[in-house]
Amino acid sequence: MKRFYNVPSSAFFVTLALTVICSSGVAQSQVIHVPVKIVFETDMGNDIDDAIALAMLYRYAGQGKAELLAISNNKQSINSVRFIDLMNRWYHYPNIPIGTVQNGKSGEDESKSFAKKVIDHSINSKKVFKSKIRKYTDVKESVNLYRQILSVQPDKSVVIISVGFFTNLARLLESEPDQFSSLNGMDLIKKKVKYLSVMAGNFSQPVSSEFNIINDISAATKVYELWPGTIYSSPFEVGNNIHFPSKSIEMNLGYVHKNPLVEGYKLYNPMPYDRPTWDPTAVLFALEPKEGYFTLSKPGSIKVNKEGVTSFTENKNGNQFYLMTPDLVGKQKILSRFIELVNAVPKSISEKKN
């Protein structure tokens, strides 16, 4: 047992006080990062930027900054869910639940642009990448999965990142109480979701529709009108002005082994090409909203017309915002962060064999 010898009582208490203050200072300086709980909603296979966005989420998860609760596919395509599964496995997250839309927008033809090619990629008649999904029913229906996941999360703890069609989100809003929760969809979202970060819309001039909106206009309209919480929209013009460099792809993102994102990028379009980073912008904002990468509009509301064109009306009491195109310095800062997040980490982590 420790003893104190020949220490006057006053000196002892000064020493004790200093010890407490120093200890308190150390505790305060050690900021504990609580992982952001994420559900990723994607139309995987339409464009390679979905795969870039997903790779970013794996990195955030590896750094303890994100917890990927589930990945939800919002188009009807077995190739889409199989590609998501092989990405999960390659990046060492094989147990992330995957959900998919039922009777949604068909996406099998689009998925052949890179997803199916990566799935079928072989060397010496041996598949390079692995997926255990064989048929569409091997994964859960998305709304069912959403309700199961959300019901057990702390209140206001889940961030949904949507970089595809709004079908699943609209159906979640309409969902009824079930075995997972006595709340309907609207109330479940209000209770459990912190905010929604979407890649959708177009607020540039001249006005035009945007892909994620027009593929299910009624669903997008419903989400913007009824969502019981905050929505941050990264519109077309933001990611369209920030291009991922083919040079990084040609360097295999620093990996030794074949990487499914790299192979998908090479197969999507003839190389070399620099692809706009629409979907990654919604991920970056969702995980690092306070880092100053983007400027936000004032609060207001977003409307979708029957042609799928979005418009914004400012309202100080509104809870919807859109991201604005950064200046040249801001673009470079964002692009550097994208590259950093998808590039290989030290070999002890990244170069495990599959």
Side-chain angles (χ1 to χ4, degrees):
M1 186 173 89
K2 292 184 179 179
R3 299 177 184 272
F4 293 90
Y5 295 99
N6 300 320
V7 179
S9 58
S10 59
F12 169 75
F13 285 110
V14 169
T15 303
L16 179 61
L18 288 173
T19 302
V20 170
I21 291 171
C22 290
S23 298
S24 176
V26 170
Q28 291 176 0
S29 66
Q30 295 176 344
V31 179
I32 298 174
H33 293 283
V34 179
V36 180
K37 295 176 179 290
I38 299 291
V39 177
F40 185 55
E41 179 74 31
T42 174
D43 60 341
M44 186 66 72
N46 279 347
D47 198 305
I48 195 62
D49 63 329
D50 291 75
I52 296 173
L54 183 53
M56 290 167 58
L57 287 171
Y58 294 135
R59 176 58 52 78
Y60 281 121
Q63 294 174 341
K65 296 177 181 178
E67 179 186 358
L68 259 172
L69 300 175
I71 300 172
S72 172
N73 171 57
N74 49 55
K75 69 178 188 181
Q76 199 85 22
S77 168
I78 181 61
N79 292 320
S80 297
V81 293
R82 293 192 71 199
F83 183 85
I84 293 168
D85 182 54
L86 72 81
M87 285 280 285
N88 282 353
R89 293 178 185 282
W90 196 92
Y91 281 92
H92 311 293
Y93 292 94
N95 298 319
I96 296 174
I98 300 172
T100 192
V101 69
Q102 298 289 351
N103 301 315
K105 176 77 174 181
S106 176
E108 211 66 274
D109 287 341
E110 291 90 344
S111 70
K112 294 175 183 176
S113 63
F114 75 89
K116 189 175 190 305
K117 292 176 183 177
V118 173
I119 293 165
D120 293 340
H121 184 43
S122 299
I123 296 178
N124 298 325
S125 300
K126 184 178 180 180
K127 293 285 182 69
V128 175
F129 306 108
K130 301 174 183 177
S131 171
K132 289 189 176 181
I133 293 174
R134 295 292 175 264
K135 56 187 183 298
Y136 207 65
T137 53
D138 284 342
V139 295
K140 294 184 177 182
E141 189 273 329
S142 284
V143 175
N144 187 270
L145 179 60
Y146 264 112
R147 292 189 60 85
Q148 181 181 2
I149 294 291
L150 291 176
S151 66
V152 297
Q153 302 306 317
D155 292 353
K156 295 293 183 183
S157 67
V158 179
V159 172
I160 298 175
I161 302 174
S162 176
V163 297
F165 317 150
F166 285 73
T167 313
N168 288 326
L169 298 179
R171 291 179 182 178
L172 176 61
L173 277 168
E174 298 169 337
S175 63
E176 299 294 332
D178 57 11
Q179 70 271 32
F180 302 117
S181 174
S182 60
L183 300 176
N184 62 29
M186 184 84 72
D187 290 337
L188 186 61
I189 293 167
K190 186 176 182 180
K191 183 177 177 65
K192 299 295 184 177
V193 175
K194 186 175 182 181
Y195 56 83
L196 172 63
S197 177
V198 303
M199 188 277 119
N202 189 338
F203 302 102
S204 61
Q205 295 294 329
V207 296
S208 62
S209 58
E210 186 274 318
F211 184 79
N212 289 340
I213 299 287
I214 62 174
N215 270 281
D216 195 338
I217 294 174
S218 63
T221 301
K222 183 169 294 182
V223 170
Y224 279 117
E225 285 184 354
L226 301 179
W227 193 264
T230 303
I231 301 178
Y232 298 100
S233 288
S234 180
F236 172 86
E237 61 269 24
V238 172
N240 198 53
N241 283 286
I242 306 169
H243 293 185
F244 196 86
S246 58
K247 182 178 179 181
S248 293
I249 297 298
E250 290 168 339
M251 296 176 65
N252 201 42
L253 296 176
Y255 287 97
V256 173
H257 303 294
K258 280 183 173 289
N259 174 289
L261 166 57
V262 170
E263 298 308 309
Y265 195 106
K266 290 178 178 178
L267 292 166
Y268 184 67
N269 276 329
M271 291 286 285
Y273 69 99
D274 296 348
R275 192 64 181 163
T277 55
W278 297 291
D279 295 347
T281 60
V283 172
L284 181 61
F285 177 80
L287 271 297
E288 303 185 59
K290 297 181 181 179
E291 295 303 317
Y293 289 110
F294 303 98
T295 301
L296 283 178
S297 70
K298 292 184 178 181
S301 61
I302 295 169
K303 301 294 182 184
V304 180
N305 71 13
K306 61 182 181 180
E307 285 80 33
V309 174
T310 50
S311 60
F312 178 80
T313 302
E314 185 178 323
N315 179 347
K316 65 180 181 180
N317 297 316
N319 59 357
Q320 297 178 11
F321 305 81
Y322 69 90
L323 279 56
M324 292 186 281
T325 304
D327 59 19
L328 185 61
V329 174
K331 292 177 189 176
Q332 188 55 53
K333 182 181 177 182
I334 292 168
L335 182 58
S336 296
R337 185 62 173 143
F338 288 159
I339 296 169
E340 180 183 21
L341 286 165
V342 299
N343 231 42
V345 290
K347 290 184 178 181
S348 60
I349 299 175
S350 68
E351 299 305 338
K352 298 176 182 177
K353 291 187 177 181
N354 300 293

